[in-house]
Amino acid sequence: MQRSSEPARDAEGTLGPGFVLEGKLEGRANVRIEGTFQGEIALDGAVILGNQAQVSAPIYARLVEVHGEVHGRIEAQEVFVRAGGWVDGDVRAGSLTIDDGATLEGLVETDADFGGAR
């Protein structure tokens, strides 16, 4: 993924609003979540959490962009917490952007050499 302040938003899969999913989401793709997810997310791609997203899971990905809520650890090359987004968990990232109006409650570890997804 190319580094920029505006990450790619082309999702190959979407969990729409009103959906509830429990389990492990893994693969080599980009996903957008607008619904509720519980479990674990491990993707070699981007995870975009829309305004209505409520995720209770550790997230391991190349890029994570949070507009909704996350309860759990995030590990990614790039993490963006957008205005209105809320992260309740530790973050380990190569780069971290927190917009005005966003909330992050947890420990932060940044390392430019961090590779992201496991």
Side-chain angles (χ1 to χ4, degrees):
M1 283 239 140
Q2 99 184 52
R3 297 178 73 101
S4 79
S5 61
E6 288 299 321
R9 290 175 173 38
D10 296 334
E12 294 164 334
T14 301
L15 177 67
F19 281 96
V20 176
L21 182 65
E22 292 184 31
K24 184 171 183 178
L25 181 60
E26 61 184 335
R28 299 177 143 275
N30 300 332
V31 68
R32 181 176 191 87
I33 298 175
E34 292 286 352
T36 301
F37 181 88
Q38 288 186 302
E40 181 178 346
I41 300 171
L43 293 178
D44 187 12
V47 177
I48 310 300
L49 305 175
N51 294 332
Q52 298 177 51
Q54 294 196 3
V55 174
S56 294
I59 301 173
Y60 308 96
R62 292 206 181 279
L63 181 146
V64 176
E65 183 174 357
V66 179
H67 296 266
E69 285 185 27
V70 176
H71 300 272
R73 181 175 181 80
I74 298 175
E75 291 189 17
Q77 289 176 344
E78 293 182 280
V79 176
F80 298 85
V81 184
R82 299 302 189 190
W86 185 51
V87 175
D88 178 16
D90 297 344
V91 174
R92 182 174 182 220
S95 70
L96 172 64
T97 302
I98 303 172
D99 291 349
D100 287 343
T103 302
L104 190 154
E105 295 179 1
L107 300 175
V108 173
E109 179 182 352
T110 57
D111 182 350
D113 295 328
F114 177 61
R118 2 176 192 176

